[in-house]
Amino acid sequence: MINTPVDTKDTEFPISRQPTHSELVARGVTLPIAAGLSSRAAAPPSIGSASPEVVSVSLTVNGTLHALMLDTRTTILDLLREHLDLTGTKKGCDQGQCGACTVLIDGRRVNSCLTFAVMYDGAQITTIEGLATKGTLHPLQQAFIDHDAFQCGYCTPGQICSAVGLISEGRAKTADDIRELMSGNLCRCGAYGNILAAIAQAMRRA
Amino acid sequence: MAPYIGTATSRVDGVAKVTGAAKYAAEFNTPGLVYGSIVTSTIAKGWIKRVDGSAAMRVKGVIDVLSHEHRPPMADDDKAYADEVAPLGSPFRPLYDNRVMFSRQPIALVVAETSEIARFGESLVRVEYEVEAPVTDLNRERDAAVPVKPPTNPFEALFTPPKPRGAPERALAAAAMRHEAEYCTPIEHHNPMELYAATVIYHADGKLTLYDKTQGVQNIQRYVCSVFGMKPEDVRVMSPFVGGAFGNGLRPNFEIVLAVLAARALRRSVRVVLTRPQMYALGYRPAMIQRIGLGATTDGTLDAITHDAITVTSEYEDYYRQETGWSGLLYTCANAKYAHKLAKLDLPTACDMRCPSAATGVYALECAMDELAVALKADPLELRLRCYSERDQNNNRPFGSKALRECYRQGAQAFGWDKRNPEPRSMRDGADLVGWGMATGVWDAFQAPITVRIALSANGHAEVACATSDIGTGTRTIMAQVAADMLGLPLDHISINLGDSNLPQSPVEGGSWIAVSVSNGIATTAASIRDELLRLAKQIPNSPLAATAPGEVALIDGKLADKGDVSRAISISDAMRQGGVERIEQEKTTNPSADAARAHNTHSAVFAEVKVDEQLGVIRVTRVVSAVAAGRILNTKTAGSQVLGSVVWGIGMALHEETLIDHRFGRVMNANIAEYHMPVNADVHDIKVIFVDEPDDSNPLGIKGVGEIGIVGVAAAIANAVYHATGKRVRDLPITLDKLSP
Ligand code: FES
Ligand code: FES
């Protein structure tokens, strides 16, 4: 973000993105870097719109159609967690680094934190809440329990959805393939060995 | 019914976790909830001159911008902010005044109707600072480090170096073989997968229900009450599921203060979720420089140990743990001395992180032992056996139990250690150099006072309640197992209630002390339930237990039975119904028997294989065997997972993890989980966990806890394996491939 000693702002908004430090320097704007005083007070006065832009979006989530009016900035992840009360999908970083937010969109595994809802008007979404059928766990869910493929459980919905996607992709042939293709899903509890065993079990039975 | 204790029972909350039904702190939704987004400092040190929220306030949906200039009252004395596990000093007070003490310090909170608007509003808040030059580099500050204060009570003594013995300097100078070196470990961040979050439900009468990510709901409750001057009955803290914490949730973090501030300011329910980068303004494992000196005779008998540590903390609190004394505990040595200094930097206060002190202190010691073995041309395992300690020489007492020899034996056998060629660079697999290394692990076994309530119904179901957390370790599951065995009921007749400040007292969950504390607590309360059942059973006409004494009955298969003759029995439901009782409720506190005459420790032997690409220096940990002695193992499945996870942490510590600071700005550069490297699935290969038998009578159930021990020694075993593979000794972690290049 501009007007700080360095360009260290952690997040940037996709709408009305402000110019970066180097862009401003290129335009000849001087930033108050040197002196003992730094300031953000000199920021350009108007920035973005004062009211959110709202659009209508229809999505099917776990077989239920939802017609919604959404802020254009709402991600699929926040849509699920904050609007539909489907909190099984987790937020571990909100920046595409951990896979905790993995859901299946039209059958493909996707990091829902990096995905705006408006981009998926009409899509079919399956979340962890939609995997079990009539009270019977999905084979991967059962395998995760059998192999103790989690501790805290926070990465687990993402791991399971990712594994569903992995199996339907059909690319994983060996244990090393599974490890590699599951490496976008971090598990800080370190359950990787058991996650591998659980997925291998489900693949054998698939 | 076979006992549940000691079996590989699947987690009782497994279905909740695999279906998404388990709810974490940010997942309790309520009508009218508003969202707080945190503005953090862009400077590491200085003063805030002005917080200008006017642009944010012009955004439709922004409700308020809180800062030290504009917020409800908070306590103004350090004592109010000193939580149950606060170190010495003056705790950080979020949004209290205009002082900036570390980069990314929370300095304002934008509250809005939606999270998107709050986040946008946050980007519009302008802050003017007066900047001071921060100091964050341990290497530059090491000479300014000051010795930790001598302890003033037994609790502080846990964290200060043990007393010296013998004449270590003279012995080291005179030793036939001497190894002296410095070992460095960086700042590491816990990075649990769940973001720190608090949801505050504001009730019409001003009472609050808080859902917080914490390892101790009652610690949070007391803290919130003292910071905001609230009554305990007006603040309920819940934390039914915690998405990992690893020590980071022992102390209250700033999300809870900010969320309560906003709820009180606006009289509304509020959610505050930290971003991943903001989690780098929480506690961390302190960076440290350790210096180890080992003196030995030519036959490998240790004669001198010196262990010095310099560790990092903030300017405002003295966080330290006892890194150094493990050396003289683990090995027999007549002469030993320790020293610990603190470097106070412009960073947040360091905090406990998985096996604080031993993870790092034993890393340095066990690398030094490997180097001594090389100098002596001795097998590293042989050297450890020669120096094996049968007594805790730091405190001159025997061990309650110590099956470390068995860990060495079983671990070495499972690993195939006897096939190791001692020569570095001698073992190969194609283009890879192969290295085998080993190390020892040690940790404490603590037990803390705890209170457990059990309510037994005449239909043979029981509710067990205790305020402890389950941070993912499996507490809920082992509680159910212990209760089922103690009450003689099937596992699915037990329900566990935890993570709620209204429940009976529990310490924070950490230090590996909850399993032993809560299990013995359940046993105590179950015994008084049994006594009550016996009293009822004796009232039944012609009771078969009429003459049976309280110590002679047990609860087995839903019945109260005479242990000497189990045919003399009465079912729980008969005893209760005939006594006209539908529910028996007992609440008991269990205080551990102080057994200071013996040392209480867990131990491990860790063996690691690495393969190092000779051209590129890429290191893979292809095999680890961890043999653990930790008393009675309550659940081999969940305990096994704890150790597996700890080994993964050890791999991260050895090869990946490092928080990088740009010291010009005192700011973490890799404040995310892509550039802060943690092990991913592809980094983890074959890990085998062995629990060796270790009968222990320090507590009635013989439990020691396994949360910490699994990480200790892993980084050293890997570092030693890297040396064995490459002939190159890297003494600062993590061992990245650039450090291996010639
Ligand atoms: S929350 Fe989406 S990848 Fe981390
Ligand atoms: S189970 Fe805790 S992060 Fe994977």
Side-chain angles (χ1 to χ4, degrees):
Chain A
M1 188 69 75
I2 55 170
N3 293 333
T4 54
V6 278
D7 185 9
T8 46
K9 196 71 181 70
D10 296 319
T11 54
E12 242 181 10
F13 287 90
I15 60 157
S16 64
R17 186 182 76 83
Q18 296 188 37
T20 65
H21 182 172
S22 49
E23 283 164 0
L24 282 178
V25 171
R27 288 184 223 157
V29 177
T30 319
L31 299 175
I33 294 175
L37 172 71
S38 83
S39 165
R40 297 168 78 178
S46 88
I47 182 172
S49 137
S51 354
E53 245 181 89
V54 174
V55 294
S56 81
V57 181
S58 302
L59 292 156
T60 304
V61 182
N62 299 330
T64 306
L65 179 68
H66 298 272
L68 303 141
M69 292 300 289
L70 292 175
D71 190 318
T72 47
R73 297 165 296 192
T74 302
T75 59
I76 297 270
L77 177 59
D78 286 335
L79 164 69
L80 295 168
R81 288 171 64 85
E82 308 296 342
H83 296 252
L84 302 181
D85 204 22
L86 289 170
T87 55
T89 306
K90 304 303 182 197
K91 184 182 281 190
C93 67
D94 216 17
Q95 47 191 184
Q97 299 175 336
C98 74
C101 62
T102 307
V103 297
L104 298 156
I105 302 183
D106 297 329
R108 284 179 53 236
R109 47 181 174 157
V110 170
N111 283 344
S112 62
C113 71
L114 290 187
T115 307
F116 292 111
V118 289
M119 297 157 62
Y120 281 95
D121 195 25
Q124 298 272 346
I125 299 177
T126 304
T127 71
I128 192 71
E129 291 95 341
L131 288 182
T133 40
K134 292 197 204 94
T136 307
L137 294 178
H138 184 282
L140 271 163
Q141 291 174 315
Q142 188 59 52
F144 267 61
I145 294 175
D146 294 346
H147 290 274
D148 207 34
F150 51 86
Q151 288 192 61
C152 74
Y154 199 78
C155 73
T156 311
Q159 301 277 359
I160 293 175
C161 287
S162 190
V164 171
L166 168 97
I167 292 174
S168 69
E169 287 156 19
R171 282 192 292 154
K173 305 287 180 227
T174 66
D176 273 346
D177 291 345
I178 298 175
R179 288 189 178 104
E180 188 63 35
L181 294 167
M182 287 300 293
S183 281
N185 290 85
L186 302 188
C187 174
R188 189 53 157 166
C189 296
Y192 296 122
N194 293 342
I195 291 169
L196 172 70
I199 295 173
Q201 170 184 309
M203 273 172 74
R204 274 195 306 274
R205 295 188 187 161
Chain B
M1 207 163 56
Y4 293 101
I5 293 178
T7 62
T9 300
S10 290
R11 282 170 208 267
V12 296
D13 50 10
V15 171
K17 286 179 177 175
V18 301
T19 56
K23 280 193 181 289
Y24 301 77
E27 299 174 354
F28 292 86
N29 290 329
T30 185
L33 183 75
V34 296
Y35 296 79
S37 188
I38 305 170
V39 179
T40 62
S41 68
T42 56
I43 67 164
K45 188 177 191 179
W47 303 88
I48 302 165
K49 293 181 65 174
R50 200 161 78 96
V51 177
D52 177 2
S54 57
M57 287 301 292
R58 281 198 291 276
V59 175
K60 189 168 167 235
V62 170
I63 304 163
D64 207 350
V65 179
L66 302 175
S67 69
H68 69 280
E69 297 166 351
H70 170 62
R71 58 155 173 82
M74 302 163 72
D76 61 3
D77 60 315
D78 284 340
K79 241 184 99 216
Y81 295 83
D83 67 279
E84 188 177 325
V85 285
L88 293 172
S90 176
F92 171 58
R93 306 174 187 179
L95 266 50
Y96 181 77
D97 60 17
N98 65 340
R99 185 70 177 138
V100 176
M101 299 189 290
F102 52 88
S103 189
R104 291 192 175 86
Q105 177 177 315
I107 52 180
L109 185 76
V110 176
V111 190
E113 298 291 348
T114 72
S115 62
E116 291 84 1
I117 296 170
R119 233 176 123 173
F120 180 54
E122 174 232 312
S123 75
L124 302 180
V125 175
R126 289 158 205 175
V127 183
E128 286 176 40
Y129 303 100
E130 201 159 303
V131 185
E132 294 173 32
V135 175
T136 53
D137 186 351
L138 169 62
N139 285 312
R140 287 183 52 181
E141 288 307 299
R142 58 182 296 171
D143 295 335
V146 292
V148 299
K149 296 190 184 79
T152 57
N153 58 46
F155 182 69
E156 287 172 25
L158 287 174
F159 305 132
T160 44
K163 285 195 286 294
R165 57 179 179 262
E169 270 116 355
R170 195 154 15 105
L172 188 62
M177 293 305 267
R178 205 166 37 236
H179 167 70
E180 286 178 277
E182 210 164 84
Y183 299 86
C184 301
T185 50
I187 286 181
E188 293 179 342
H189 275 85
H190 308 66
N191 277 312
M193 292 313 304
E194 182 194 11
L195 298 170
Y196 270 83
T199 303
V200 175
I201 312 287
Y202 189 89
H203 302 287
D205 53 3
K207 293 185 180 182
L208 304 178
T209 302
L210 319 179
Y211 294 93
D212 189 26
K213 177 175 176 63
T214 176
Q215 291 172 246
V217 283
Q218 292 174 332
N219 192 26
I220 299 294
Q221 189 214 29
R222 281 188 291 269
Y223 175 84
V224 167
C225 287
S226 68
V227 168
F228 293 99
M230 295 183 74
K231 295 203 282 292
E233 58 272 28
D234 292 349
V235 179
R236 180 178 186 186
V237 183
M238 318 261 285
S239 191
F241 288 93
V242 182
F246 313 110
N248 204 201
L250 290 168
R251 300 187 65 192
N253 287 314
F254 51 79
E255 80 285 350
I256 193 66
V257 178
L258 299 179
V260 172
L261 269 176
R264 283 169 65 87
L266 307 175
R267 300 175 186 276
R268 291 186 69 172
S269 299
V270 179
R271 172 169 304 145
V272 173
V273 183
L274 269 60
T275 64
R276 181 58 62 175
Q278 287 171 350
M279 284 172 58
Y280 287 77
L282 305 176
Y284 50 86
R285 194 194 292 288
M288 60 190 78
I289 302 169
Q290 298 181 74
R291 190 166 181 81
I292 300 227
L294 300 175
T297 60
T298 47
D299 72 349
T301 305
L302 271 180
D303 196 34
I305 297 174
T306 62
H307 192 158
D308 301 351
I310 306 172
T311 65
V312 164
T313 190
S314 64
E315 276 289 346
Y316 51 92
E317 281 175 318
D318 286 1
Y319 169 87
Y320 51 87
R321 293 293 181 252
Q322 196 266 99
E323 319 288 334
T324 58
W326 301 108
S327 302
L329 173 74
L330 200 44
Y331 297 117
T332 297
C333 184
N335 305 290
K337 83 173 182 53
Y338 319 97
H340 193 145
K341 289 183 179 172
L342 273 183
K344 304 193 78 163
L345 303 177
D346 296 311
L347 294 171
T349 306
C351 77
D352 291 330
M353 176 162 163
R354 205 149 198 183
C355 210
S357 81
T360 43
V362 175
Y363 151 72
L365 170 70
E366 287 298 283
C367 288
M369 285 295 279
D370 197 68
E371 297 200 55
L372 181 66
V374 171
L376 287 163
K377 295 192 176 11
D379 178 83
L381 175 54
E382 235 348 272
L383 177 65
R384 266 99 173 164
L385 287 166
R386 240 175 281 169
C387 303
Y388 197 88
S389 66
E390 300 289 1
R391 286 177 75 76
D392 162 11
Q393 282 184 289
N394 285 341
N395 298 291
N396 190 26
R397 57 187 178 179
F399 290 97
S401 58
K402 178 174 175 179
L404 176 58
R405 262 185 225 288
E406 202 46 28
C407 295
Y408 287 137
R409 195 186 65 76
Q410 291 187 30
Q413 191 174 39
F415 188 82
W417 184 256
D418 58 339
K419 293 176 203 70
R420 179 177 184 265
N421 181 335
E423 206 48 49
R425 302 182 67 88
S426 64
M427 293 166 58
R428 283 183 173 272
D429 175 11
D432 289 339
L433 295 162
V434 177
W436 288 4
M438 60 85 55
T440 315
V442 58
W443 177 245
D444 289 311
F446 300 110
Q447 187 183 353
I450 203 163
T451 307
V452 172
R453 182 170 64 228
I454 299 178
L456 177 68
S457 305
N459 64 5
H461 283 71
E463 294 162 25
V464 180
C466 176
T468 179
S469 302
D470 180 346
I471 54 174
T473 49
T475 308
R476 208 180 248 110
T477 304
I478 56 117
M479 284 173 70
Q481 291 176 271
V482 173
D485 280 2
M486 296 297 153
L487 298 170
L489 297 174
L491 196 68
D492 58 4
H493 286 202
I494 307 290
S495 62
I496 300 296
N497 214 347
L498 51 68
D500 178 347
S501 61
N502 281 358
L503 299 176
Q505 172 276 330
S506 167
V508 292
E509 176 162 53
S512 301
W513 57 64
I514 282 297
V516 52
S517 305
V518 78
S519 298
N520 284 292
I522 290 169
T524 307
T525 308
S528 70
I529 293 265
R530 203 180 54 214
D531 291 348
E532 179 60 14
L533 281 170
L534 181 63
R535 195 185 64 78
L536 294 171
K538 281 179 187 289
Q539 290 171 1
I540 294 174
N542 305 320
S543 170
L545 299 173
T548 311
E552 291 165 15
V553 283
L555 283 162
I556 307 164
D557 291 340
K559 294 198 262 309
L560 187 66
D562 187 313
K563 282 197 269 189
D565 172 6
V566 289
S567 69
R568 299 157 73 87
I570 290 180
S571 76
I572 289 174
S573 62
D574 284 349
M576 289 177 71
R577 291 202 169 118
Q578 295 199 37
V581 178
E582 270 303 310
R583 186 179 160 94
I584 300 176
E585 191 173 295
Q586 296 284 332
E587 182 172 320
K588 295 280 166 210
T589 297
T590 304
N591 288 303
S593 58
D595 181 13
R598 297 185 296 171
H600 304 284
N601 295 94
T602 52
H603 290 90
S604 67
V606 186
F607 298 83
E609 174 183 271
V610 300
K611 292 189 177 167
V612 183
D613 182 303
E614 197 177 4
Q615 302 294 317
L616 301 175
V618 175
I619 307 165
R620 280 179 309 138
V621 179
T622 43
R623 276 195 310 136
V624 176
V625 174
S626 173
V628 173
R632 182 197 293 263
I633 302 303
L634 290 164
N635 183 328
T636 48
K637 197 170 193 170
T638 56
S641 291
Q642 278 184 282
V643 177
L644 283 175
S646 294
V647 170
V648 172
W649 274 61
I651 294 172
M653 180 178 168
L655 303 181
H656 307 135
E657 295 187 37
E658 178 172 26
T659 299
L660 297 160
I661 296 173
D662 183 334
H663 296 301
R664 292 170 304 168
F665 303 106
R667 190 167 176 90
V668 175
M669 296 185 285
N670 56 342
N672 56 65
I673 45 179
E675 292 158 299
Y676 179 98
H677 294 164
M678 306 192 291
V680 301
N681 207 318
D683 294 314
V684 175
H685 297 270
D686 185 9
I687 303 172
K688 185 178 170 63
V689 178
I690 298 167
F691 290 114
V692 312
D693 246 14
E694 190 180 56
D696 187 278
D697 62 2
S698 309
N699 59 77
L701 293 176
I703 302 163
K704 289 187 170 180
V706 295
E708 328 292 318
I709 183 64
I711 185 176
V712 193
V714 178
I718 293 169
N720 296 339
V722 169
Y723 168 77
H724 182 238
T726 63
K728 181 140 185 167
R729 185 68 70 173
V730 177
R731 299 195 188 90
D732 66 316
L733 297 184
I735 307 174
T736 45
L737 50 84
D738 51 298
K739 294 177 186 169
L740 287 182
S741 61

